[in-house]
Amino acid sequence: MYLEFSEDEELFREAVREFSKRYIEPIWVEVDEKGRLPMDLIKRMGEQGLFAIPVSDEFGGVGGSLTMAAIATEEIAYHDPAVAIAVYALLQNGWPMALDQFGSDELKSMILPEVASGDAFFGIASTEAHGGSDVAGIKTFAEKVDGGWRVNGEKVYISGVREVLELPTGGGWFLVSKTGSRDYGHRNISAFALVPRWKGDVKDGFEPTVFEEIGRGGLSTGGFKLNNFVVDEKFLIGEEGKGFYYVMQGFNIARILVSAACIGSGRWALDQAKEWLTTRKLFQGRKLSSFQGINFKFAELYTELEAARLFTYRAARLADKIYIERKPGYKPQDLNVPVAMAKLKAPETAIRIYEEVLKWFGAYGYTKESNVYRGWLGTFSYVIGAEGGQNIMRIIIARDVLGKENIRS
Ligand SMILES: Cc1cc2nc3c(=O)[nH]c(=O)nc-3n(C[C@H](O)[C@H](O)[C@H](O)COP(=O)(O)OP(=O)(O)OC[C@H]3O[C@@H](n4cnc5c(N)ncnc54)[C@H](O)[C@@H]3O)c2cc1C
């Protein structure tokens, strides 16, 4: 039921596929190797309408759906299995959508058209060094001052730091910070659009660093200190003290696209395997695919990937009903379990596929020339926890299915 795509969606998929074949497939290895996203590619992706797809056209978005954003992410990841370009795209759909849902018209008019065109980045800044899974435990604090807020704290493992410094307009993040009190908990968390660079120099009080990572080479991950960084009051997203609710909804949106990236990358790996297994011959001319020990495993992984796709698009359709169509009777919380299942299933399936495909490739898989390892390392970022650790997905499912009161020891 949920995997029937409309004619428009199929045409859109075809257009993204053509674009990705032409502009992404020829460069994905170089992007991963050099660890840099070409600025002209980002601009081209903006012109193609690959960013801000689920953002209303009134604020410069495509006026599409999260299902379309998932389709785009899956196709881009198929042509960039190391997923840096796909993750750039998914962040530029997920977090702008969250801003579109909760931000003021003034904020949306300022930020969203620049993100849609590819001139600015807008990601998420939640994680802190003492533990990203525990959002209620963040320590960054925004103190109310005349006309705004003075923010102090430090965020780590944040995607897009270098891109914010290098893109023509700049950009920033959906920042979560404690306000009012520093106590542990979620009721004193507010969300801000943190924009340390916008059409000019980096603002005072923003001290960035960029980390070196083992995979997903094209997109930077870094961190920053906020040292008396002043945020104008217009950058508060929604109501003060409601930031935790907004960011959790943002995570649900983004996790659907993360799952789409993993299934696109996993599909690429299985296609590589199909080609390899049906042409490589040994033991007196038998194709590798003729051995049951191999074709059974292939069949299992193919099935697992299809299951992950079903979870992903089911969650995307549900998100569209809640946020885009605004259908009565659908609530943001309805997404928790479907999204957690998709985010649990898709990255782990991609990793299982990569581990098997690497083995099927034999020693060739262990060479850099095969490039299969790039997808393995890229998708592993989502098993580690970008946009939420896997155990957090398990906690969400157990909590909602067994009941909150029954999972506390
Ligand atoms: C490539 C990459 C990009 C990222 N980009 C961003 C970004 O743009 N913005 C951002 O805010 N963050 C980003 N992150 C950080 C990411 O959100 C965190 O890694 C994630 O939330 C987990 O936090 P942590 O790494 O501090 O691990 P921890 O929270 O310390 O968790 C460590 C381990 O313990 C497990 N665990 C935690 N709590 C429990 C529990 N109660 N029960 C059982 N197990 C538990 C976790 O699943 C994990 O395996 C990125 C991470 C990566 C790897």
Side-chain angles (χ1 to χ4, degrees):
M1 164 184 175
Y2 286 103
L3 258 193
E4 264 180 30
F5 294 109
S6 68
E7 205 183 321
D8 282 353
E9 286 167 342
E10 293 292 3
L11 287 171
F12 178 71
R13 184 184 288 279
E14 199 46 52
V16 181
R17 192 175 283 158
E18 282 302 309
F19 177 93
S20 305
K21 246 189 201 158
R22 184 158 175 207
Y23 296 110
I24 296 175
E25 193 177 277
I27 61 162
W28 77 273
V29 171
E30 190 188 338
V31 167
D32 193 50
E33 189 68 33
K34 289 197 174 152
R36 290 238 155 200
L37 286 180
M39 291 290 143
D40 59 333
L41 174 68
I42 294 177
K43 185 69 194 160
R44 212 186 276 279
M45 289 171 78
E47 286 163 1
Q48 180 73 15
L50 296 176
F51 304 142
I53 295 168
V55 167
S56 42
D57 41 14
E58 189 190 346
F59 294 104
V62 171
S65 63
L66 197 65
T67 302
M68 284 170 67
I71 290 171
T73 307
E74 184 190 347
E75 287 309 316
I76 295 169
Y78 182 88
H79 297 88
D80 165 34
V83 302
I85 303 167
V87 173
Y88 188 91
L90 85 83
L91 290 169
Q92 298 322 291
N93 281 294
W95 291 99
M97 177 174 171
L99 182 64
D100 191 26
Q101 295 292 323
F102 309 117
S104 67
D105 286 0
E106 188 185 4
L107 209 45
K108 296 195 290 190
S109 318
M110 172 188 156
I111 294 174
L112 295 174
E114 299 285 317
V115 171
S117 67
D119 289 324
F121 174 91
F122 192 70
I124 166 71
S126 161
T127 305
E128 299 184 1
H130 49 271
S133 304
D134 186 8
V135 178
I138 57 169
K139 296 190 185 341
T140 296
F141 187 72
E143 180 194 353
K144 192 93 187 78
V145 292
D146 202 19
W149 311 79
R150 186 185 298 121
V151 193
N152 281 287
E154 184 170 6
K155 298 286 178 183
V156 290
Y157 311 122
I158 304 303
S159 301
V161 171
R162 193 178 49 233
E163 288 73 13
V164 163
L165 300 176
E166 291 184 356
L167 281 164
T169 300
W173 296 271
F174 195 110
L175 174 86
V176 279
S177 170
K178 285 275 160 75
T179 50
S181 121
R182 295 172 195 267
D183 293 348
Y184 183 89
H186 63 273
R187 291 201 177 83
N188 50 345
I189 290 178
S190 299
F192 298 90
L194 174 82
V195 184
R197 188 173 158 260
W198 196 258
K199 299 183 179 172
D201 293 336
V202 175
K203 292 191 187 128
D204 287 347
F206 177 78
E207 299 165 14
T209 47
V210 175
F211 306 146
E212 241 188 88
E213 291 179 294
I214 59 168
R216 213 190 72 164
L219 174 60
S220 74
T221 306
F224 52 80
K225 281 190 184 140
L226 296 170
N227 192 0
N228 290 322
F229 186 91
V230 176
V231 174
D232 189 280
E233 60 194 356
K234 76 173 183 200
F235 290 100
L236 177 70
I237 296 174
E239 287 176 47
E240 187 182 341
K242 295 267 175 70
F244 186 84
Y245 304 102
Y246 304 144
V247 81
M248 288 301 148
Q249 292 183 58
F251 280 134
N252 270 348
I253 290 168
R255 283 169 188 162
I256 294 170
L257 303 180
V258 161
S259 305
C262 291
I263 59 179
S265 180
R267 182 158 60 85
W268 174 82
L270 272 190
D271 277 358
Q272 301 304 299
K274 194 171 161 190
E275 170 74 19
W276 175 265
L277 298 176
T278 54
T279 50
R280 188 166 174 84
K281 292 180 182 157
L282 60 172
F283 293 103
Q284 298 182 306
R286 282 185 64 183
K287 291 178 182 170
L288 271 182
S289 59
S290 72
F291 296 103
Q292 217 170 48
I294 286 180
N295 65 37
F296 270 25
K297 194 75 202 170
F298 185 94
E300 272 170 32
L301 292 170
Y302 184 86
T303 306
E304 292 291 305
L305 191 67
E306 275 307 295
R309 284 188 97 221
L310 283 165
F311 281 138
T312 304
Y313 284 103
R314 183 179 75 141
R317 284 269 191 256
L318 187 54
D320 285 338
K321 286 194 170 61
I322 296 165
Y323 294 108
I324 309 282
E325 298 157 34
R326 296 187 180 278
K327 286 217 162 160
Y330 289 88
K331 313 179 290 302
Q333 307 90 282
D334 297 342
L335 263 182
N336 292 346
V337 171
V339 168
M341 292 195 300
K343 167 68 173 61
L344 188 59
K345 185 85 183 154
E348 295 196 2
T349 299
I351 289 305
R352 271 201 293 279
I353 290 173
Y354 274 108
E355 287 179 355
E356 214 54 50
V357 174
L358 278 163
K359 286 184 260 172
W360 290 337
F361 270 54
Y364 178 55
Y366 204 63
T367 66
K368 283 204 163 183
E369 199 191 319
S370 84
N371 287 321
V372 174
Y373 75 100
R374 295 182 193 275
W376 185 40
L377 289 174
T379 50
F380 204 79
S381 64
Y382 286 120
V383 173
I384 296 265
E387 304 282 359
Q390 295 302 76
N391 279 354
I392 301 308
M393 303 308 118
R394 293 183 175 95
I395 289 171
I396 293 169
I397 298 165
R399 182 197 64 198
D400 284 17
V401 177
L402 293 171
K404 218 184 222 174
E405 64 288 1
N406 296 317
I407 65 160
R408 293 216 174 102
S409 50

